[in-house]
PDB file of all heavy atoms in Angstrom:
ATOM      1  N   SER E 187       1.206  51.820 -44.843  1.00 86.00           N
ATOM      2  CA  SER E 187       1.456  50.473 -45.363  1.00 86.00           C
ATOM      3  C   SER E 187       1.418  49.437 -44.253  1.00 86.00           C
ATOM      4  O   SER E 187       1.274  48.240 -44.521  1.00 86.00           O
ATOM      5  CB  SER E 187       2.815  50.434 -46.068  1.00 86.00           C
ATOM      6  OG  SER E 187       3.861  50.790 -45.171  1.00 86.00           O
ATOM      7  N   GLN E 188       1.521  49.908 -42.987  1.00 84.00           N
ATOM      8  CA  GLN E 188       1.503  48.964 -41.862  1.00 84.00           C
ATOM      9  C   GLN E 188       0.180  48.220 -41.724  1.00 84.00           C
ATOM     10  O   GLN E 188       0.093  47.210 -41.009  1.00 84.00           O
ATOM     11  CB  GLN E 188       1.797  49.698 -40.552  1.00 84.00           C
ATOM     12  CG  GLN E 188       3.196  50.277 -40.463  1.00 84.00           C
ATOM     13  CD  GLN E 188       3.246  51.702 -41.001  1.00 84.00           C
ATOM     14  OE1 GLN E 188       2.400  52.101 -41.805  1.00 84.00           O
ATOM     15  NE2 GLN E 188       4.237  52.462 -40.566  1.00 84.00           N
ATOM     16  N   ILE E 189      -0.845  48.726 -42.407  1.00 92.00           N
ATOM     17  CA  ILE E 189      -2.137  48.036 -42.346  1.00 92.00           C
ATOM     18  C   ILE E 189      -1.999  46.598 -42.855  1.00 92.00           C
ATOM     19  O   ILE E 189      -2.801  45.724 -42.531  1.00 92.00           O
ATOM     20  CB  ILE E 189      -3.197  48.818 -43.148  1.00 92.00           C
ATOM     21  CG1 ILE E 189      -3.570  50.110 -42.385  1.00 92.00           C
ATOM     22  CG2 ILE E 189      -4.462  48.004 -43.385  1.00 92.00           C
ATOM     23  CD1 ILE E 189      -4.631  50.946 -43.042  1.00 92.00           C
ATOM     24  N   ARG E 190      -0.942  46.347 -43.616  1.00 92.00           N
ATOM     25  CA  ARG E 190      -0.724  44.979 -44.120  1.00 92.00           C
ATOM     26  C   ARG E 190      -0.556  43.976 -42.989  1.00 92.00           C
ATOM     27  O   ARG E 190      -0.752  42.768 -43.199  1.00 92.00           O
ATOM     28  CB  ARG E 190       0.504  44.945 -45.017  1.00 92.00           C
ATOM     29  CG  ARG E 190       1.830  45.134 -44.291  1.00 92.00           C
ATOM     30  CD  ARG E 190       3.001  45.019 -45.251  1.00 92.00           C
ATOM     31  NE  ARG E 190       4.294  45.148 -44.558  1.00 92.00           N
ATOM     32  CZ  ARG E 190       4.903  46.298 -44.321  1.00 92.00           C
ATOM     33  NH1 ARG E 190       4.331  47.433 -44.720  1.00 92.00           N
ATOM     34  NH2 ARG E 190       6.070  46.334 -43.701  1.00 92.00           N
ATOM     35  N   SER E 191      -0.211  44.475 -41.780  1.00 93.00           N
ATOM     36  CA  SER E 191      -0.030  43.557 -40.651  1.00 93.00           C
ATOM     37  C   SER E 191      -1.361  43.028 -40.121  1.00 93.00           C
ATOM     38  O   SER E 191      -1.388  42.081 -39.340  1.00 93.00           O
ATOM     39  CB  SER E 191       0.721  44.259 -39.515  1.00 93.00           C
ATOM     40  OG  SER E 191      -0.024  45.347 -38.998  1.00 93.00           O
ATOM     41  N   LEU E 192      -2.474  43.629 -40.566  1.00 96.00           N
ATOM     42  CA  LEU E 192      -3.798  43.187 -40.119  1.00 96.00           C
ATOM     43  C   LEU E 192      -4.268  42.059 -41.035  1.00 96.00           C
ATOM     44  O   LEU E 192      -5.176  42.222 -41.859  1.00 96.00           O
ATOM     45  CB  LEU E 192      -4.775  44.369 -40.121  1.00 96.00           C
ATOM     46  CG  LEU E 192      -4.300  45.626 -39.371  1.00 96.00           C
ATOM     47  CD1 LEU E 192      -5.351  46.720 -39.430  1.00 96.00           C
ATOM     48  CD2 LEU E 192      -3.964  45.289 -37.923  1.00 96.00           C
ATOM     49  N   LYS E 193      -3.652  40.910 -40.887  1.00 95.00           N
ATOM     50  CA  LYS E 193      -3.841  39.800 -41.818  1.00 95.00           C
ATOM     51  C   LYS E 193      -5.245  39.212 -41.789  1.00 95.00           C
ATOM     52  O   LYS E 193      -5.647  38.522 -42.733  1.00 95.00           O
ATOM     53  CB  LYS E 193      -2.830  38.687 -41.511  1.00 95.00           C
ATOM     54  CG  LYS E 193      -1.368  39.106 -41.650  1.00 95.00           C
ATOM     55  CD  LYS E 193      -1.025  39.449 -43.073  1.00 95.00           C
ATOM     56  CE  LYS E 193       0.469  39.726 -43.221  1.00 95.00           C
ATOM     57  NZ  LYS E 193       0.816  40.100 -44.616  1.00 95.00           N
ATOM     58  N   ASN E 194      -5.998  39.474 -40.718  1.00 97.00           N
ATOM     59  CA  ASN E 194      -7.340  38.891 -40.606  1.00 97.00           C
ATOM     60  C   ASN E 194      -8.436  39.775 -41.196  1.00 97.00           C
ATOM     61  O   ASN E 194      -9.605  39.400 -41.179  1.00 97.00           O
ATOM     62  CB  ASN E 194      -7.666  38.598 -39.138  1.00 97.00           C
ATOM     63  CG  ASN E 194      -6.801  37.505 -38.556  1.00 97.00           C
ATOM     64  OD1 ASN E 194      -6.685  36.434 -39.139  1.00 97.00           O
ATOM     65  ND2 ASN E 194      -6.165  37.759 -37.420  1.00 97.00           N
ATOM     66  N   LEU E 195      -8.055  40.944 -41.699  1.00 98.00           N
ATOM     67  CA  LEU E 195      -9.054  41.869 -42.230  1.00 98.00           C
ATOM     68  C   LEU E 195      -9.830  41.247 -43.390  1.00 98.00           C
ATOM     69  O   LEU E 195      -9.253  40.708 -44.331  1.00 98.00           O
ATOM     70  CB  LEU E 195      -8.392  43.158 -42.711  1.00 98.00           C
ATOM     71  CG  LEU E 195      -8.250  44.305 -41.710  1.00 98.00           C
ATOM     72  CD1 LEU E 195      -7.638  45.523 -42.387  1.00 98.00           C
ATOM     73  CD2 LEU E 195      -9.589  44.675 -41.091  1.00 98.00           C
ATOM     74  N   VAL E 196     -11.139  41.353 -43.292  1.00 98.00           N
ATOM     75  CA  VAL E 196     -12.040  40.931 -44.359  1.00 98.00           C
ATOM     76  C   VAL E 196     -12.711  42.153 -44.992  1.00 98.00           C
ATOM     77  O   VAL E 196     -12.964  42.178 -46.202  1.00 98.00           O
ATOM     78  CB  VAL E 196     -13.116  39.967 -43.804  1.00 98.00           C
ATOM     79  CG1 VAL E 196     -14.173  39.657 -44.853  1.00 98.00           C
ATOM     80  CG2 VAL E 196     -12.469  38.675 -43.314  1.00 98.00           C
ATOM     81  N   HIS E 197     -12.953  43.176 -44.178  1.00 98.00           N
ATOM     82  CA  HIS E 197     -13.676  44.374 -44.622  1.00 98.00           C
ATOM     83  C   HIS E 197     -12.846  45.602 -44.254  1.00 98.00           C
ATOM     84  O   HIS E 197     -12.587  45.846 -43.081  1.00 98.00           O
ATOM     85  CB  HIS E 197     -15.047  44.426 -43.937  1.00 98.00           C
ATOM     86  CG  HIS E 197     -15.897  45.591 -44.318  1.00 98.00           C
ATOM     87  ND1 HIS E 197     -17.036  45.462 -45.107  1.00 98.00           N
ATOM     88  CD2 HIS E 197     -15.815  46.913 -44.018  1.00 98.00           C
ATOM     89  CE1 HIS E 197     -17.586  46.642 -45.267  1.00 98.00           C
ATOM     90  NE2 HIS E 197     -16.868  47.541 -44.611  1.00 98.00           N
ATOM     91  N   LEU E 198     -12.435  46.398 -45.258  1.00 98.00           N
ATOM     92  CA  LEU E 198     -11.654  47.608 -45.028  1.00 98.00           C
ATOM     93  C   LEU E 198     -12.280  48.755 -45.809  1.00 98.00           C
ATOM     94  O   LEU E 198     -12.312  48.743 -47.036  1.00 98.00           O
ATOM     95  CB  LEU E 198     -10.205  47.409 -45.462  1.00 98.00           C
ATOM     96  CG  LEU E 198      -9.281  48.629 -45.341  1.00 98.00           C
ATOM     97  CD1 LEU E 198      -9.221  49.140 -43.906  1.00 98.00           C
ATOM     98  CD2 LEU E 198      -7.879  48.313 -45.856  1.00 98.00           C
ATOM     99  N   ASP E 199     -12.793  49.760 -45.074  1.00 98.00           N
ATOM    100  CA  ASP E 199     -13.449  50.911 -45.693  1.00 98.00           C
ATOM    101  C   ASP E 199     -12.805  52.195 -45.180  1.00 98.00           C
ATOM    102  O   ASP E 199     -12.975  52.578 -44.026  1.00 98.00           O
ATOM    103  CB  ASP E 199     -14.946  50.902 -45.369  1.00 98.00           C
ATOM    104  CG  ASP E 199     -15.726  51.915 -46.210  1.00 98.00           C
ATOM    105  OD1 ASP E 199     -15.089  52.785 -46.835  1.00 98.00           O
ATOM    106  OD2 ASP E 199     -16.973  51.834 -46.232  1.00 98.00           O
ATOM    107  N   LEU E 200     -12.038  52.847 -46.054  1.00 98.00           N
ATOM    108  CA  LEU E 200     -11.386  54.114 -45.738  1.00 98.00           C
ATOM    109  C   LEU E 200     -11.887  55.200 -46.682  1.00 98.00           C
ATOM    110  O   LEU E 200     -11.217  56.221 -46.885  1.00 98.00           O
ATOM    111  CB  LEU E 200      -9.858  53.979 -45.863  1.00 98.00           C
ATOM    112  CG  LEU E 200      -9.207  52.889 -45.000  1.00 98.00           C
ATOM    113  CD1 LEU E 200      -7.707  52.823 -45.284  1.00 98.00           C
ATOM    114  CD2 LEU E 200      -9.445  53.149 -43.519  1.00 98.00           C
ATOM    115  N   SER E 201     -13.067  55.021 -47.229  1.00 98.00           N
ATOM    116  CA  SER E 201     -13.597  55.919 -48.253  1.00 98.00           C
ATOM    117  C   SER E 201     -14.007  57.277 -47.678  1.00 98.00           C
ATOM    118  O   SER E 201     -14.218  57.429 -46.479  1.00 98.00           O
ATOM    119  CB  SER E 201     -14.803  55.269 -48.941  1.00 98.00           C
ATOM    120  OG  SER E 201     -15.865  55.071 -48.016  1.00 98.00           O
ATOM    121  N   ARG E 202     -14.082  58.253 -48.588  1.00 97.00           N
ATOM    122  CA  ARG E 202     -14.562  59.620 -48.288  1.00 97.00           C
ATOM    123  C   ARG E 202     -13.782  60.238 -47.129  1.00 97.00           C
ATOM    124  O   ARG E 202     -14.332  60.646 -46.119  1.00 97.00           O
ATOM    125  CB  ARG E 202     -16.066  59.597 -48.009  1.00 97.00           C
ATOM    126  CG  ARG E 202     -16.874  59.145 -49.208  1.00 97.00           C
ATOM    127  CD  ARG E 202     -18.359  59.155 -48.948  1.00 97.00           C
ATOM    128  NE  ARG E 202     -18.745  58.212 -47.917  1.00 97.00           N
ATOM    129  CZ  ARG E 202     -18.869  56.898 -48.094  1.00 97.00           C
ATOM    130  NH1 ARG E 202     -18.599  56.359 -49.273  1.00 97.00           N
ATOM    131  NH2 ARG E 202     -19.258  56.114 -47.111  1.00 97.00           N
ATOM    132  N   ASN E 203     -12.452  60.300 -47.324  1.00 97.00           N
ATOM    133  CA  ASN E 203     -11.558  60.996 -46.414  1.00 97.00           C
ATOM    134  C   ASN E 203     -10.652  61.909 -47.233  1.00 97.00           C
ATOM    135  O   ASN E 203     -11.000  62.263 -48.360  1.00 97.00           O
ATOM    136  CB  ASN E 203     -10.746  59.983 -45.588  1.00 97.00           C
ATOM    137  CG  ASN E 203     -11.524  59.445 -44.399  1.00 97.00           C
ATOM    138  OD1 ASN E 203     -11.713  60.138 -43.408  1.00 97.00           O
ATOM    139  ND2 ASN E 203     -11.978  58.190 -44.491  1.00 97.00           N
ATOM    140  N   LEU E 204      -9.515  62.278 -46.694  1.00 97.00           N
ATOM    141  CA  LEU E 204      -8.600  63.193 -47.372  1.00 97.00           C
ATOM    142  C   LEU E 204      -7.224  62.560 -47.543  1.00 97.00           C
ATOM    143  O   LEU E 204      -6.204  63.264 -47.545  1.00 97.00           O
ATOM    144  CB  LEU E 204      -8.488  64.507 -46.584  1.00 97.00           C
ATOM    145  CG  LEU E 204      -9.800  65.264 -46.339  1.00 97.00           C
ATOM    146  CD1 LEU E 204      -9.565  66.462 -45.422  1.00 97.00           C
ATOM    147  CD2 LEU E 204     -10.414  65.729 -47.657  1.00 97.00           C
ATOM    148  N   PHE E 205      -7.183  61.250 -47.689  1.00 97.00           N
ATOM    149  CA  PHE E 205      -5.911  60.563 -47.851  1.00 97.00           C
ATOM    150  C   PHE E 205      -5.253  60.944 -49.184  1.00 97.00           C
ATOM    151  O   PHE E 205      -5.945  61.163 -50.194  1.00 97.00           O
ATOM    152  CB  PHE E 205      -6.103  59.051 -47.798  1.00 97.00           C
ATOM    153  CG  PHE E 205      -6.467  58.532 -46.440  1.00 97.00           C
ATOM    154  CD1 PHE E 205      -7.701  57.958 -46.207  1.00 97.00           C
ATOM    155  CD2 PHE E 205      -5.567  58.621 -45.386  1.00 97.00           C
ATOM    156  CE1 PHE E 205      -8.038  57.466 -44.947  1.00 97.00           C
ATOM    157  CE2 PHE E 205      -5.890  58.142 -44.126  1.00 97.00           C
ATOM    158  CZ  PHE E 205      -7.134  57.568 -43.903  1.00 97.00           C
ATOM    159  N   VAL E 206      -3.918  61.013 -49.174  1.00 97.00           N
ATOM    160  CA  VAL E 206      -3.162  61.365 -50.384  1.00 97.00           C
ATOM    161  C   VAL E 206      -2.136  60.268 -50.653  1.00 97.00           C
ATOM    162  O   VAL E 206      -2.007  59.305 -49.900  1.00 97.00           O
ATOM    163  CB  VAL E 206      -2.456  62.725 -50.223  1.00 97.00           C
ATOM    164  CG1 VAL E 206      -3.467  63.840 -50.051  1.00 97.00           C
ATOM    165  CG2 VAL E 206      -1.485  62.700 -49.039  1.00 97.00           C
ATOM    166  N   GLY E 207      -1.383  60.459 -51.743  1.00 97.00           N
ATOM    167  CA  GLY E 207      -0.354  59.483 -52.082  1.00 97.00           C
ATOM    168  C   GLY E 207      -0.917  58.311 -52.851  1.00 97.00           C
ATOM    169  O   GLY E 207      -2.039  58.349 -53.368  1.00 97.00           O
ATOM    170  N   SER E 208      -0.158  57.268 -52.933  1.00 97.00           N
ATOM    171  CA  SER E 208      -0.542  56.111 -53.735  1.00 97.00           C
ATOM    172  C   SER E 208      -1.204  55.034 -52.889  1.00 97.00           C
ATOM    173  O   SER E 208      -1.145  55.059 -51.662  1.00 97.00           O
ATOM    174  CB  SER E 208       0.702  55.530 -54.421  1.00 97.00           C
ATOM    175  OG  SER E 208       1.652  55.130 -53.443  1.00 97.00           O
ATOM    176  N   VAL E 209      -1.844  54.106 -53.573  1.00 97.00           N
ATOM    177  CA  VAL E 209      -2.389  52.927 -52.900  1.00 97.00           C
ATOM    178  C   VAL E 209      -1.213  52.016 -52.584  1.00 97.00           C
ATOM    179  O   VAL E 209      -0.483  51.598 -53.494  1.00 97.00           O
ATOM    180  CB  VAL E 209      -3.396  52.193 -53.793  1.00 97.00           C
ATOM    181  CG1 VAL E 209      -3.907  50.938 -53.097  1.00 97.00           C
ATOM    182  CG2 VAL E 209      -4.550  53.116 -54.165  1.00 97.00           C
ATOM    183  N   PRO E 210      -0.969  51.697 -51.313  1.00 96.00           N
ATOM    184  CA  PRO E 210       0.199  50.876 -50.968  1.00 96.00           C
ATOM    185  C   PRO E 210       0.138  49.495 -51.629  1.00 96.00           C
ATOM    186  O   PRO E 210      -0.857  48.783 -51.491  1.00 96.00           O
ATOM    187  CB  PRO E 210       0.104  50.751 -49.441  1.00 96.00           C
ATOM    188  CG  PRO E 210      -0.738  51.907 -49.001  1.00 96.00           C
ATOM    189  CD  PRO E 210      -1.721  52.111 -50.110  1.00 96.00           C
ATOM    190  N   PRO E 211       1.191  49.107 -52.335  1.00 96.00           N
ATOM    191  CA  PRO E 211       1.219  47.746 -52.894  1.00 96.00           C
ATOM    192  C   PRO E 211       1.068  46.678 -51.826  1.00 96.00           C
ATOM    193  O   PRO E 211       0.567  45.579 -52.106  1.00 96.00           O
ATOM    194  CB  PRO E 211       2.604  47.681 -53.560  1.00 96.00           C
ATOM    195  CG  PRO E 211       2.958  49.106 -53.859  1.00 96.00           C
ATOM    196  CD  PRO E 211       2.367  49.901 -52.731  1.00 96.00           C
ATOM    197  N   SER E 212       1.462  47.009 -50.586  1.00 95.00           N
ATOM    198  CA  SER E 212       1.371  46.026 -49.492  1.00 95.00           C
ATOM    199  C   SER E 212      -0.070  45.643 -49.171  1.00 95.00           C
ATOM    200  O   SER E 212      -0.306  44.616 -48.536  1.00 95.00           O
ATOM    201  CB  SER E 212       2.054  46.578 -48.236  1.00 95.00           C
ATOM    202  OG  SER E 212       1.448  47.787 -47.806  1.00 95.00           O
ATOM    203  N   PHE E 213      -1.048  46.461 -49.610  1.00 96.00           N
ATOM    204  CA  PHE E 213      -2.447  46.086 -49.402  1.00 96.00           C
ATOM    205  C   PHE E 213      -2.759  44.768 -50.101  1.00 96.00           C
ATOM    206  O   PHE E 213      -3.704  44.066 -49.730  1.00 96.00           O
ATOM    207  CB  PHE E 213      -3.377  47.185 -49.912  1.00 96.00           C
ATOM    208  CG  PHE E 213      -3.595  48.311 -48.928  1.00 96.00           C
ATOM    209  CD1 PHE E 213      -2.669  48.577 -47.935  1.00 96.00           C
ATOM    210  CD2 PHE E 213      -4.724  49.102 -48.998  1.00 96.00           C
ATOM    211  CE1 PHE E 213      -2.860  49.607 -47.028  1.00 96.00           C
ATOM    212  CE2 PHE E 213      -4.937  50.144 -48.098  1.00 96.00           C
ATOM    213  CZ  PHE E 213      -3.987  50.393 -47.108  1.00 96.00           C
ATOM    214  N   GLY E 214      -1.983  44.443 -51.110  1.00 97.00           N
ATOM    215  CA  GLY E 214      -2.194  43.196 -51.834  1.00 97.00           C
ATOM    216  C   GLY E 214      -1.860  41.962 -51.028  1.00 97.00           C
ATOM    217  O   GLY E 214      -2.153  40.838 -51.457  1.00 97.00           O
TER     218      GLY E 214
END
Side-chain angles (χ1 to χ4, degrees):
S187 59
Q188 294 90 337
I189 288 182
R190 70 177 182 273
S191 63
L192 308 181
K193 299 295 186 181
N194 293 309
L195 269 183
V196 173
H197 181 109
L198 177 58
D199 191 346
L200 303 177
S201 64
R202 297 181 296 282
N203 278 286
L204 302 174
F205 290 114
V206 297
S208 60
V209 178
S212 60
F213 277 24

